[in-house]
Amino acid sequence: MTTRVTSSRVVGREAELAELEAVLADASAGRPSIAFLAGESGVGKTRLLSEFERRATAGDPPARVIGGDCVELGEGELPYAPIVAALRPLARQHDPVLDGLPAATRAELGALIPGLGGEAAASVRQLEGDDAAQARLFEALLTLFDELGRDRTLLLSIEDIHWADRSTRSFLAFLARSLCDEHVMVVATYRLDELHRRHPLRPLLAELERDASARRIELAALTRDELREQLADILGAQPERELLGRLWSRSEGNPLFTEELLAAGLDGRGSLPPTLRDALMVRVERLSDAAQHVLRVVSKARRADTDLLADVTGLGRAELSAALREAVASHILAVDDDGWYSYRHALLREVVADDLLPGENSELHLQLAHALERRASERGEGAHLAAGIAHHYYAAGAQPAALAASVRAAEAADKVHAHGEAAALNERALELWGHVTDAEEVAGIDYVELLKRTAFDQGAVEEVARKEHLLKKALSHVDKEADPLRAARLMEALARTQWTLNRGADGMETAARALALLPDDKPTMEKARLLGWLSKARMLQGKYVTSLELASEAIEEGQAAGDTLAEAVARNARGISLVGLGEMDEGVSELRRSLQMARERDNAQEMGSAFSNLADALNASGHTREALAVVEEGQRVLTDRFRTDWLKSMVAEFKFQLGEWDDAEAWMPSRERRHVGTALMYIMLTRVNMALGRGDHAAAREYLEAISQYVADSSEPQFLGAWGTLSARLDLREGDIESARAAVDEALDRIEFCTEDASRIVRLSAIGVAIEADAAQRARDLGDDPQPALARAEIMLARVRAAAEGDRPVERGWLLTAEAHWTRAAGEAEPTLWAEAAEAWEALEWPYEAAIARFHEAEAHLAAGDRQAATDSAGFALATARRIGARWLAGEIEGLCARARLQFDGLVDEIMAAGMPESADDDHGDEPDEEPFGLTPRERQVLMLVSEGRTNREIGDTLYMAEKTASVHVSRILSKLGVRSRTEAAAVAHRLGLDAASGTGRPASGA
Ligand SMILES: Nc1ncnc2c1ncn2[C@@H]1O[C@H](COP(=O)(O)OP(=O)(O)O)[C@@H](O)[C@H]1O
Ligand SMILES: [Mg+2]
């Protein structure tokens, strides 16, 4: 009875195939993307995908196709199922690309596919946060895909993602964010009818489909004509009109329904059954008992090989093969290349599974669990087998066995960093715990341990609130008197968790309570680590004095308890605190020790922290070149073991400081990489700094806004300070004095009130003086009173002076700059002060700040009437600005020179020729993209006419625009200049040289 059930040709779908092929062509050109195929079950997603895969493989040039299916097995139980399936053939065929991967990448992948990896970097893994481990696995997969796509474009298909496990979902999200120029196309299919309102895929899809590079293709049912084609192919002849009509009204063009209805009704026995269920059951009931038995087992197992089927059904080999042949011949089961049987369509499986009686159902699950356990004891238990066993015991209602299996399966999932699945399995174990007698013995661990494991898994998938709850519950089951060490360890975890929840005060209190539990008479590792953590937390808050006290205690305790890790943490905190308090040399040497200890422990996480903090300390004490060398080394040492994006951005930050901007930009981690929390803030702030240097205000604004919420929630001066400084600089460049002031005030408020972070106070207040200098100047231009701005400038300057005390070269640079701005505010800019500031920056090798100071020096010379000195300073400033690529600054200086008619007579060329490399980017050379007050070229034309006293009508006539349009321009200009009338606008234009008489003009601000 091997009549054909399926059409040999793909009917229709030409438009969809064309679209998919276009996406593939994009991927081949280095524009990777994700396409989603959505549609109801049976509509033809899989068929379309296989046709597309066939064409891609046969294409010119051919693509490399890999893929896997998501399997429905209850939420969160089969970690990375489709990815594992996609990679398995590569491992089996020993694909040469695998051998070419770095050892660390192979080791990561080995966690998913045994046999792929070399030896795993276990020591690193154990000491790291789970997040980092999963991130590394994802990075490793991305590296693999990138490599796979090098010779042939990679097409990765993931079927039925409505059943995707949590880890696979995170991986998809990661891919969407991380793909940037790889030759990779991802196709994912999902069932529309499966996505109920609270389906976990929904938020992810919403996020992914919004992405510009993502495509969504929704598959509709076949049209009536296409249905006719399908029938004609299956029947080998044009269908009769009546048959076509009946199938059309029942299947509504769903090709799977059509096939089943046809198959059930074709042999003339009876009429067409009314539903898919009836149609299929008619066909199943015609099969032999053995075949029906096999179908029932597969309906619960989902996938099974002959060994498993023989074990569960008890059928002899011959009988079993006959039964399987029957089921395949009738197009109900299908067999894959590895000899695994499954339903040819999931809907058919559901029909058979739903038809089981309750008793039959649990019996089958129990048999499957037993069979899988036997298999596990013979072949070793991987994460998938373990998850399957746990699932079947649970579904069978066998509670003790389900408890034990869930705990084991969670352990296996943790090993492959599938913490979401591990969390789900452990949560299930927690649910079963109370229903099982002697649970502890059955599970092999005690209740507190189970709670703790669940908590860590939940934390790893960012369910931080759940983590806190579970830790608290675990604590409530620990007898603090009898086992204070265990309680303290849990409390340290709880304290850190509360810190990440932005409840620092709770965290501190928890840590203090934990400390109180510990014995005074003997040193413990627990106490050392708690003290070390507290010291670091205080350091991050800028409370250096307290941090130092805690660090000393932690060091003493750690030494007594023989725990060098706690000591390394404490010395790290101590070093930064010392630097913060002005003890530069001692701080730096403390950080060197911390680095040394972390290296001896070979602890990657602590090494990363020590490298970056040592470099920060060196930079803060004026040794930027040395700082750069330290982070470069850290990056080199750790790159194979660790995600070094933080260190890379530091390399970029220091290079930027040193004026090597092109290089700096090349070091920045790709924009597409996934960053969260503190790393995100740091990387974005570094980007803002660079964008501002180049004069790309839109980008700077975008980056600032992207992290504003994080910064608002943070209590760390390093982020509060940088955000305030950079926002103010941007606002000032755009002429928005009010916002600049607000940014500085807010940051100062938060830092001054509760930290000892003097260097950030210096930095912010120095900008504060610059803001008031601009404000005072503007007031004078408008004929307003400059006194309020001067008063504010004075307060800001006093702050800088107070906070910059001591022998700190960087703070001295800011102090000199602020003093110079102060004279600018007073209307008597003092060139010698600007020269001093410039020299201070030059001594630090910070050419950008130096060039800004030289520019102001030139302005001050001009105001004092010394044109020769002005020419010299402007020449230096311009040469530097061009060399490093500070386009906005170069534009300002050129504007100043044009207004003042300064002649360089080759001076700039001379300076630039004297050993300094030409700025790579000169396409903006003559046409600076910076406009004063953010005026567009058109608006500048309009302003010029306004300053000549023209009316809107006259402006319109001159510039060939409607009077209405001219009036819109004028009001926009007034608001950009912050003035109320056309006369005031004319005054500002005149001062800035923007009026008709002065040609190209520039504003004075260069904060
Ligand atoms: N365009 C088509 N032309 C011919 N047969 C099709 C077409 N689309 C689907 N089918 C058939 O319909 C059945 C169900 O299709 P399938 O791709 O498995 O559905 P889905 O993956 O959307 O659930 C399969 O037997 C398939 O061969
Ligand atoms: Mg399908």
Side-chain angles (χ1 to χ4, degrees):
M1 50 173 289
T2 43
T3 40
R4 198 162 65 221
V5 168
T6 301
S7 159
S8 60
R9 291 187 313 111
V10 173
V11 174
R13 305 306 188 208
E14 278 313 320
E16 290 85 354
L17 282 164
E19 190 168 354
L20 288 169
E21 277 167 348
V23 177
L24 183 64
D26 272 357
S28 306
R31 288 187 302 276
S33 70
I34 302 194
F36 293 95
L37 279 182
E40 60 172 11
S41 42
V43 80
K45 301 180 293 295
T46 302
R47 184 73 189 254
L48 172 60
L49 182 57
S50 16
E51 175 63 14
F52 173 53
E53 289 176 344
R54 192 188 62 72
R55 292 192 189 187
T57 319
D60 181 27
R64 179 202 289 272
V65 177
I66 61 175
D69 302 353
C70 301
V71 188
E72 181 194 14
L73 201 65
E75 156 73 0
E77 287 171 30
L78 267 184
Y80 303 115
I83 319 252
V84 171
L87 299 188
R88 208 180 278 124
L90 296 175
R92 207 170 30 216
Q93 292 150 18
H94 299 292
D95 195 296
V97 168
L98 295 174
D99 298 331
L101 294 173
T105 306
R106 275 212 314 281
E108 285 306 325
L109 296 175
L112 276 190
I113 315 272
L116 259 195
E119 70 297 0
S123 64
V124 186
R125 179 158 310 141
Q126 279 153 17
L127 296 163
E128 267 176 47
D130 293 321
D131 241 7
Q134 190 180 57
R136 271 201 327 266
L137 175 61
F138 286 2
E139 291 284 349
L141 285 165
L142 188 60
T143 306
L144 171 65
F145 293 164
D146 190 13
E147 288 301 323
L148 285 172
R150 262 174 218 277
D151 53 340
R152 281 181 289 157
T153 305
L154 178 71
L155 171 59
L156 168 69
S157 61
I158 303 185
E159 276 252 59
D160 297 326
I161 57 168
H162 50 275
W163 288 324
D165 57 275
R166 178 167 192 151
S167 300
T168 301
R169 286 201 303 272
S170 321
F171 180 63
L172 274 176
F174 166 82
L175 261 191
R177 277 190 296 259
S178 310
L179 286 172
C180 75
D181 56 6
E182 296 82 358
H183 297 211
V184 174
M185 168 176 178
V186 181
V187 190
T189 66
Y190 63 88
R191 265 198 199 178
L192 278 176
D193 45 330
E194 192 74 23
L195 290 195
H196 54 82
R197 214 158 47 80
R198 306 201 44 203
H199 195 286
L201 191 63
R202 281 202 161 206
L204 175 65
L205 283 174
E207 184 192 327
L208 296 186
E209 289 178 353
R210 221 180 298 125
D211 195 305
S213 68
R215 305 285 179 92
R216 182 170 183 280
I217 300 175
E218 193 170 326
L219 275 194
L222 300 183
T223 63
R224 198 182 159 114
D225 284 343
E226 287 168 344
L227 173 66
R228 189 203 318 272
E229 270 185 62
Q230 183 192 7
L231 289 175
D233 189 292
I234 297 174
L235 299 168
Q238 283 299 320
E240 279 164 28
R241 214 186 116 72
E242 202 249 81
L243 178 68
L244 177 65
R246 273 193 297 154
L247 281 172
W248 175 246
S249 67
R250 296 245 168 92
S251 75
E252 294 177 323
N254 181 303
L256 178 75
F257 289 9
T258 304
E259 289 174 356
E260 286 302 321
L261 293 167
L262 199 59
L266 261 189
D267 59 1
R269 285 197 257 163
S271 55
L272 282 183
T275 65
L276 175 74
R277 187 197 163 276
D278 298 317
L280 180 68
M281 288 319 286
V282 167
R283 303 210 298 127
V284 169
E285 278 152 18
R286 286 179 204 152
L287 303 180
S288 69
D289 285 351
Q292 292 192 35
H293 188 182
V294 167
L295 284 180
R296 283 195 294 275
V297 174
V298 178
S299 83
K300 294 279 109 178
R302 286 178 170 84
R303 283 179 85 237
D305 59 10
T306 44
D307 287 351
L308 186 69
L309 288 172
D311 190 349
V312 175
T313 58
L315 291 170
R317 289 284 161 173
E319 216 180 338
L320 178 62
S321 344
L324 281 168
R325 265 201 306 279
E326 221 184 316
V328 172
S330 60
H331 298 283
I332 298 174
L333 291 190
V335 60
D336 70 13
D337 297 344
D338 297 333
W340 286 75
Y341 292 85
S342 59
Y343 276 77
R344 102 173 157 91
H345 198 278
L347 272 189
L348 309 184
R349 185 197 71 72
E350 282 159 36
V351 168
V352 175
D354 290 348
D355 206 54
L356 296 171
L357 301 170
E360 240 176 340
N361 187 49
S362 36
E363 185 55 29
L364 276 174
H365 278 298
L366 200 58
Q367 286 172 344
L368 277 164
H370 289 318
L372 290 176
E373 274 201 324
R374 282 190 287 273
R375 167 167 297 198
S377 68
E378 283 160 21
R379 308 185 185 177
E381 184 175 86
H384 286 230
L385 214 43
I389 295 167
H391 165 75
H392 289 300
Y393 273 130
Y394 185 74
Q399 292 176 330
L403 171 62
S406 299
V407 170
R408 273 205 322 275
E411 282 168 3
D414 272 329
K415 281 211 189 92
V416 289
H417 320 305
H419 304 291
E421 290 67 35
L425 287 157
N426 277 327
E427 291 280 3
R428 172 166 293 169
L430 284 173
E431 171 199 325
L432 291 165
W433 193 273
H435 302 282
V436 173
T437 38
D438 297 329
E440 199 170 313
E441 211 170 296
V442 170
I445 55 174
D446 72 7
Y447 192 49
V448 171
E449 174 66 17
L450 178 58
L451 284 163
K452 191 198 89 185
R453 288 182 187 185
T454 317
F456 278 94
D457 285 326
Q458 293 289 19
V461 292
E462 269 161 59
E463 297 289 344
V464 190
R466 177 77 184 151
K467 178 179 185 184
E468 186 192 17
H469 172 81
L470 290 162
L471 284 172
K472 281 188 167 163
K473 192 156 177 191
L475 261 174
S476 73
H477 286 269
V478 176
D479 183 343
K480 298 185 182 61
E481 309 277 286
D483 200 349
L485 295 184
R486 189 178 204 188
R489 283 195 298 272
L490 285 169
M491 287 163 91
E492 188 199 332
L494 179 61
R496 288 175 185 268
T497 308
Q498 288 164 331
W499 183 270
T500 39
L501 283 167
N502 233 358
R503 296 212 320 272
D506 289 355
M508 300 279 187
E509 197 203 306
T510 304
R513 277 193 292 118
L515 281 173
L517 291 178
L518 294 170
D520 286 331
D521 51 340
K522 73 170 176 30
T524 59
M525 176 200 90
E526 284 75 7
K527 187 167 178 187
R529 294 206 175 164
L530 275 162
L531 290 168
W533 177 74
L534 276 169
S535 166
K536 211 159 187 180
R538 288 303 193 192
M539 175 272 277
L540 288 172
Q541 288 181 328
K543 299 190 179 173
Y544 301 134
V545 177
T546 322
S547 167
L548 284 181
E549 285 162 11
L550 288 161
S552 304
E553 279 185 70
I555 292 167
E556 219 173 274
E557 190 78 13
Q559 284 172 345
D563 182 27
T564 49
L565 197 59
E567 199 180 332
V569 176
R571 290 201 186 274
N572 183 324
R574 185 160 192 273
I576 291 288
S577 296
L578 284 169
V579 171
L581 293 171
E583 304 289 337
M584 302 292 181
D585 297 342
E586 208 189 330
V588 166
S589 74
E590 197 62 352
L591 281 155
R592 288 195 198 281
R593 271 182 87 178
S594 163
L595 176 58
Q596 184 57 33
M597 301 182 90
R599 287 188 118 157
E600 277 159 17
R601 289 283 297 240
D602 197 31
N603 182 312
Q605 190 87 350
E606 245 348 271
M607 276 160 72
S609 170
F611 273 119
S612 63
N613 284 355
L614 172 59
D616 260 339
L618 286 167
N619 185 48
S621 47
H623 305 290
T624 308
R625 284 245 169 249
E626 237 184 294
L628 176 62
V630 168
V631 279
E632 279 176 335
E633 187 196 350
Q635 208 278 328
R636 257 194 324 274
V637 170
L638 293 169
T639 192
D640 251 13
R641 314 178 33 178
F642 197 69
R643 236 175 136 211
T644 51
D645 282 359
W646 185 293
L647 290 170
K648 284 187 195 152
S649 315
M650 288 185 80
V651 173
E653 182 192 337
F654 298 147
K655 281 188 180 278
F656 184 82
Q657 210 114 291
L658 292 164
E660 299 160 17
W661 288 12
D662 291 338
D663 229 16
E665 276 158 0
W667 269 92
M668 282 306 282
S670 154
R671 264 213 79 175
E672 315 299 325
R673 302 280 167 199
R674 162 182 177 259
H675 299 107
V676 291
T678 50
L680 178 73
M681 281 193 275
Y682 174 55
I683 289 166
M684 285 303 223
L685 287 166
T686 311
R687 268 196 198 116
V688 175
N689 203 13
M690 294 180 171
L692 272 175
R694 296 290 196 193
D696 187 350
H697 295 185
R701 183 67 72 197
E702 181 198 326
Y703 301 145
L704 280 170
E705 268 161 22
I707 52 167
S708 68
Q709 193 51 49
Y710 285 89
V711 174
D713 292 343
S714 169
S715 64
E716 298 186 37
Q718 59 174 324
F719 304 122
L720 301 174
W723 204 85
T725 306
L726 294 170
S727 298
R729 265 194 155 171
L730 175 56
D731 291 336
L732 206 52
R733 278 266 199 94
E734 292 181 335
D736 186 348
I737 288 177
E738 281 309 319
S739 304
R741 247 181 216 144
V744 167
D745 285 349
E746 198 187 317
L748 272 177
D749 242 24
R750 297 194 59 194
I751 294 177
E752 235 173 4
F753 186 61
C754 44
T755 82
E756 292 136 26
D757 195 328
S759 74
R760 287 184 175 101
I761 293 174
V762 168
R763 183 85 182 78
L764 280 162
S765 320
I767 296 281
V769 180
I771 296 171
E772 300 311 334
D774 275 19
Q777 202 162 34
R778 182 179 292 182
R780 271 187 231 104
D781 286 339
L782 297 177
D784 287 346
D785 181 8
Q787 209 47 52
L790 278 173
R792 274 192 291 257
E794 203 167 344
I795 298 173
M796 283 292 177
L797 182 60
R799 267 197 176 105
V800 182
R801 285 180 180 148
E805 272 188 352
D807 183 19
R808 301 202 254 189
V810 176
E811 278 65 41
R812 192 170 153 268
W814 291 121
L815 174 59
L816 291 170
T817 304
E819 299 276 7
H821 273 302
W822 162 247
T823 63
R824 189 164 73 87
E828 296 164 353
E830 178 55 69
T832 50
L833 282 179
W834 280 118
E836 261 185 77
E839 277 154 27
W841 295 129
E842 279 153 12
L844 287 172
E845 272 193 85
W846 290 18
Y848 178 43
E849 301 300 344
I852 294 176
R854 291 282 177 208
F855 162 62
H856 285 302
E857 187 193 0
E859 275 183 328
H861 279 310
L862 261 186
D866 187 345
R867 295 179 57 82
Q868 186 50 50
T871 309
D872 288 350
S873 319
F876 270 110
L878 185 57
T880 309
R882 284 194 186 152
R883 173 174 64 85
I884 63 180
R887 286 180 221 123
W888 75 272
L889 183 59
E892 297 271 327
I893 302 165
E894 284 155 0
L896 178 76
C897 296
R899 288 197 301 282
R901 311 252 185 293
L902 294 183
Q903 296 293 321
F904 289 123
D905 290 333
L907 175 65
V908 175
D909 295 338
E910 225 171 88
I911 298 171
M912 290 193 66
M916 290 190 265
E918 185 90 28
S919 159
D921 186 335
D922 245 338
D923 49 350
H924 292 264
D926 296 325
E927 180 55 277
D929 54 356
E930 257 335 271
E931 293 303 333
F933 294 102
L935 295 183
T936 65
R938 194 62 162 171
E939 285 165 352
R940 280 207 295 140
Q941 290 174 321
V942 173
L943 177 57
M944 225 183 266
L945 296 174
V946 169
S947 74
E948 289 171 3
R950 307 279 196 92
T951 64
N952 286 347
R953 148 127 352 133
E954 286 166 344
I955 293 171
D957 287 347
T958 314
L959 298 178
Y960 303 102
M961 59 171 72
E963 185 182 345
K964 184 97 199 303
T965 312
S967 114
V968 171
H969 275 299
V970 170
S971 44
R972 196 172 301 137
I973 291 166
L974 296 189
S975 98
K976 282 190 179 173
L977 296 182
V979 297
R980 289 163 300 243
S981 69
R982 296 166 87 98
T983 334
E984 285 178 1
V988 176
H990 179 69
R991 182 182 71 70
L992 298 179
L994 287 171
D995 53 359
S998 324
T1000 337
R1002 303 278 124 196
S1005 168

